[in-house]
Amino acid sequence: YHDTGELMNISFNSEKGIKKSRTYFYKTGEYKGESFYDERGVLNDGYSLSIKGDTIGKSEVPLFNAQPKQDLSSIIWKNEKSGISFYIESKGNGKKFIEGDEIEVWYIGYFEDGSQFDNSDITHNNIKFTIGAGMMLKSFEEGILQFRSGSSGYIRIPYNLAYGDKVMGNLPAKSNLIYYIK
Protein backbone atom coordinates (compact mmCIF):
# COMPACT_ATOMS: atom_id res chain seq x y z
CA TYR A 1 0.00 0.00 0.00
CA HIS A 2 2.48 2.60 -1.12
CA ASP A 3 0.19 4.24 -3.67
CA THR A 4 -0.42 7.40 -1.62
CA GLY A 5 2.42 7.23 0.90
CA GLU A 6 -0.14 7.87 3.62
CA LEU A 7 -0.40 4.42 5.22
CA MET A 8 -0.30 4.92 8.97
CA ASN A 9 -0.50 1.48 10.53
CA ILE A 10 -1.71 -2.05 10.27
CA SER A 11 -3.71 -3.59 13.08
CA PHE A 12 -3.95 -7.32 13.64
CA ASN A 13 -6.95 -9.22 14.95
CA SER A 14 -5.96 -12.71 16.03
CA GLU A 15 -7.40 -15.70 17.80
CA LYS A 16 -5.10 -18.14 19.64
CA GLY A 17 -2.08 -16.64 17.88
CA ILE A 18 -3.51 -17.14 14.39
CA LYS A 19 -3.90 -14.00 12.28
CA LYS A 20 -7.50 -13.62 11.17
CA SER A 21 -7.40 -10.16 9.60
CA ARG A 22 -5.21 -7.15 8.92
CA THR A 23 -6.70 -3.69 8.75
CA TYR A 24 -4.95 -0.82 6.96
CA PHE A 25 -5.46 2.88 7.75
CA TYR A 26 -4.34 6.17 6.23
CA LYS A 27 -2.40 8.64 8.43
CA THR A 28 -5.64 10.60 8.74
CA GLY A 29 -7.23 7.58 10.43
CA GLU A 30 -9.48 6.77 7.49
CA TYR A 31 -10.02 3.13 6.61
CA LYS A 32 -7.73 1.86 3.81
CA GLY A 33 -8.50 -1.85 3.52
CA GLU A 34 -8.58 -5.24 5.15
CA SER A 35 -7.29 -8.76 4.49
CA PHE A 36 -8.91 -11.94 5.82
CA TYR A 37 -7.04 -15.19 6.56
CA ASP A 38 -8.05 -18.79 7.28
CA GLU A 39 -6.74 -20.92 10.16
CA ARG A 40 -3.57 -21.79 8.17
CA GLY A 41 -2.77 -18.12 7.58
CA VAL A 42 -3.69 -18.24 3.88
CA LEU A 43 -5.32 -15.09 2.55
CA ASN A 44 -8.98 -15.77 1.74
CA ASP A 45 -10.12 -12.33 0.70
CA GLY A 46 -9.28 -8.67 0.94
CA TYR A 47 -10.65 -5.23 0.29
CA SER A 48 -8.72 -2.10 -0.49
CA LEU A 49 -9.26 1.52 -1.35
CA SER A 50 -6.88 2.43 -4.16
CA ILE A 51 -7.17 6.13 -3.35
CA LYS A 52 -8.90 8.04 -0.58
CA GLY A 53 -12.60 8.35 -1.31
CA ASP A 54 -12.62 5.28 -3.55
CA THR A 55 -15.18 2.54 -3.00
CA ILE A 56 -14.10 -0.82 -1.64
CA GLY A 57 -13.29 -3.38 -4.31
CA LYS A 58 -13.08 -7.13 -3.80
CA SER A 59 -9.88 -9.09 -4.45
CA GLU A 60 -9.50 -12.09 -6.76
CA VAL A 61 -8.36 -14.42 -3.94
CA PRO A 62 -11.77 -16.16 -3.58
CA LEU A 63 -11.62 -16.95 -7.31
CA PHE A 64 -8.20 -18.62 -6.85
CA ASN A 65 -9.61 -20.66 -3.95
CA ALA A 66 -12.63 -21.70 -6.06
CA GLN A 67 -10.47 -23.31 -8.76
CA PRO A 68 -10.24 -27.12 -8.71
CA LYS A 69 -7.00 -28.50 -7.29
CA GLN A 70 -4.47 -29.65 -9.86
CA ASP A 71 -2.93 -33.10 -9.37
CA LEU A 72 0.80 -32.33 -9.52
CA SER A 73 1.97 -35.72 -8.22
CA SER A 74 2.77 -37.21 -11.65
CA ILE A 75 5.24 -34.50 -12.66
CA ILE A 76 8.76 -35.84 -13.15
CA TRP A 77 10.94 -33.01 -11.85
CA LYS A 78 14.46 -32.22 -13.00
CA ASN A 79 16.30 -31.00 -9.92
CA GLU A 80 18.91 -28.27 -10.04
CA LYS A 81 21.82 -27.99 -7.56
CA SER A 82 20.38 -24.70 -6.28
CA GLY A 83 17.25 -26.46 -5.01
CA ILE A 84 14.71 -25.46 -7.65
CA SER A 85 13.12 -28.04 -9.95
CA PHE A 86 11.49 -27.76 -13.33
CA TYR A 87 9.54 -29.81 -15.85
CA ILE A 88 9.26 -28.82 -19.52
CA GLU A 89 5.87 -29.88 -20.87
CA SER A 90 6.29 -28.39 -24.36
CA LYS A 91 9.67 -27.27 -25.72
CA GLY A 92 8.44 -24.44 -27.95
CA ASN A 93 10.08 -23.21 -31.16
CA GLY A 94 11.66 -19.96 -30.00
CA LYS A 95 15.12 -19.12 -28.75
CA LYS A 96 16.32 -20.21 -25.33
CA PHE A 97 16.01 -17.40 -22.79
CA ILE A 98 19.15 -15.67 -21.56
CA GLU A 99 19.82 -13.00 -18.97
CA GLY A 100 18.78 -9.58 -20.29
CA ASP A 101 15.83 -10.90 -22.32
CA GLU A 102 12.56 -9.05 -21.85
CA ILE A 103 9.82 -11.64 -21.64
CA GLU A 104 6.12 -12.02 -20.90
CA VAL A 105 4.88 -15.11 -19.05
CA TRP A 106 1.34 -16.41 -18.60
CA TYR A 107 1.19 -18.40 -15.35
CA ILE A 108 -0.75 -20.20 -12.65
CA GLY A 109 0.73 -20.29 -9.13
CA TYR A 110 0.08 -23.44 -7.09
CA PHE A 111 0.73 -24.58 -3.56
CA GLU A 112 2.09 -28.14 -3.28
CA ASP A 113 -1.42 -29.49 -2.63
CA GLY A 114 -2.47 -28.25 -6.09
CA SER A 115 -4.59 -25.31 -4.90
CA GLN A 116 -4.03 -21.98 -6.62
CA PHE A 117 -2.65 -18.79 -5.13
CA ASP A 118 -2.45 -16.80 -8.39
CA ASN A 119 -3.63 -17.12 -11.98
CA SER A 120 -3.06 -14.89 -15.03
CA ASP A 121 -6.50 -15.73 -16.41
CA ILE A 122 -8.19 -14.45 -13.24
CA THR A 123 -6.03 -11.35 -12.68
CA HIS A 124 -5.72 -10.57 -16.43
CA ASN A 125 -2.03 -9.85 -15.78
CA ASN A 126 0.81 -11.73 -17.36
CA ILE A 127 4.26 -11.24 -15.82
CA LYS A 128 6.45 -8.92 -17.91
CA PHE A 129 10.07 -8.58 -16.80
CA THR A 130 13.71 -8.50 -17.83
CA ILE A 131 15.60 -11.63 -16.80
CA GLY A 132 18.38 -10.73 -14.37
CA ALA A 133 17.06 -7.23 -13.57
CA GLY A 134 15.99 -8.26 -10.06
CA MET A 135 12.29 -7.80 -10.78
CA MET A 136 11.41 -11.40 -9.89
CA LEU A 137 12.59 -14.00 -7.39
CA LYS A 138 16.08 -15.10 -8.38
CA SER A 139 14.90 -18.73 -8.13
CA PHE A 140 11.99 -18.02 -10.53
CA GLU A 141 14.39 -16.44 -13.01
CA GLU A 142 16.70 -19.46 -12.70
CA GLY A 143 13.76 -21.68 -13.62
CA ILE A 144 12.77 -19.44 -16.54
CA LEU A 145 16.27 -19.83 -18.00
CA GLN A 146 15.47 -23.53 -18.56
CA PHE A 147 12.72 -22.58 -21.03
CA ARG A 148 12.54 -21.03 -24.48
CA SER A 149 10.04 -18.79 -26.22
CA GLY A 150 6.79 -20.68 -26.89
CA SER A 151 7.45 -23.39 -24.29
CA SER A 152 5.35 -24.41 -21.31
CA GLY A 153 6.00 -26.29 -18.09
CA TYR A 154 6.46 -26.06 -14.35
CA ILE A 155 8.94 -24.48 -11.96
CA ARG A 156 9.02 -25.64 -8.33
CA ILE A 157 10.62 -23.32 -5.77
CA PRO A 158 11.20 -24.46 -2.18
CA TYR A 159 10.17 -21.91 0.44
CA ASN A 160 13.77 -21.11 1.43
CA LEU A 161 14.39 -19.91 -2.17
CA ALA A 162 11.04 -18.07 -2.31
CA TYR A 163 9.86 -15.89 0.59
CA GLY A 164 11.18 -18.00 3.47
CA ASP A 165 9.54 -17.36 6.85
CA LYS A 166 7.73 -14.22 5.62
CA VAL A 167 4.01 -13.98 4.85
CA MET A 168 3.81 -12.45 1.38
CA GLY A 169 0.37 -11.37 0.15
CA ASN A 170 -1.79 -14.49 0.11
CA LEU A 171 1.24 -16.77 0.62
CA PRO A 172 1.73 -18.07 4.16
CA ALA A 173 5.22 -18.34 5.63
CA LYS A 174 7.27 -21.33 4.45
CA SER A 175 5.26 -21.76 1.22
CA ASN A 176 6.78 -23.99 -1.42
CA LEU A 177 5.67 -22.57 -4.78
CA ILE A 178 4.90 -24.26 -8.08
CA TYR A 179 4.36 -22.18 -11.21
CA TYR A 180 2.85 -23.46 -14.43
CA ILE A 181 4.11 -21.12 -17.14
CA LYS A 182 3.67 -20.48 -20.87
Side-chain angles (χ1 to χ4, degrees):
Y1 293 102
H2 300 289
D3 52 356
T4 65
E6 296 186 72
L7 183 64
M8 183 174 108
N9 64 12
I10 301 173
S11 67
F12 295 95
N13 175 16
S14 64
E15 182 177 301
K16 296 182 183 176
I18 299 170
K19 283 186 261 185
K20 294 291 187 180
S21 68
R22 289 182 184 173
T23 306
Y24 306 89
F25 300 94
Y26 288 106
K27 286 182 181 177
T28 58
E30 292 175 77
Y31 179 80
K32 166 73 174 161
E34 195 157 1
S35 302
F36 304 97
Y37 299 84
D38 69 11
E39 65 279 354
R40 297 175 299 154
V42 176
L43 183 67
N44 282 326
D45 201 359
Y47 303 90
S48 177
L49 304 174
S50 22
I51 56 172
K52 283 201 289 188
D54 195 2
T55 55
I56 296 174
K58 211 169 187 183
S59 73
E60 290 97 357
V61 172
L63 294 174
F64 304 146
N65 293 342
Q67 302 304 308
K69 284 187 178 180
Q70 178 75 22
D71 181 6
L72 304 170
S73 63
S74 62
I75 297 174
I76 301 169
W77 297 101
K78 179 171 167 85
N79 300 315
E80 295 291 297
K81 288 180 184 177
S82 66
I84 71 156
S85 306
F86 68 94
Y87 170 74
I88 297 176
E89 176 184 72
S90 170
K91 290 186 179 184
N93 301 343
K95 74 176 194 90
K96 192 159 172 71
F97 295 129
I98 59 170
E99 205 164 300
D101 283 346
E102 292 181 32
I103 65 170
E104 182 173 357
V105 178
W106 174 91
Y107 67 97
I108 299 174
Y110 294 102
F111 292 112
E112 285 190 307
D113 70 356
S115 60
Q116 292 185 20
F117 63 84
D118 205 350
N119 183 322
S120 286
D121 285 337
I122 293 172
T123 63
H124 306 292
N125 289 317
N126 294 340
I127 303 171
K128 296 177 186 178
F129 65 99
T130 302
I131 300 172
M135 301 164 76
M136 303 297 295
L137 288 171
K138 189 173 184 173
S139 51
F140 183 81
E141 289 185 347
E142 180 186 347
I144 287 290
L145 290 172
Q146 305 304 318
F147 291 82
R148 59 181 63 240
S149 182
S151 61
S152 64
Y154 294 85
I155 301 170
R156 183 173 60 186
I157 304 171
Y159 79 88
N160 60 314
L161 297 175
Y163 300 105
D165 294 334
K166 294 184 231 170
V167 173
M168 190 63 117
N170 63 334
L171 302 174
K174 297 187 177 182
S175 292
N176 297 320
L177 310 177
I178 297 173
Y179 290 94
Y180 177 68
I181 61 166
K182 286 187 183 178

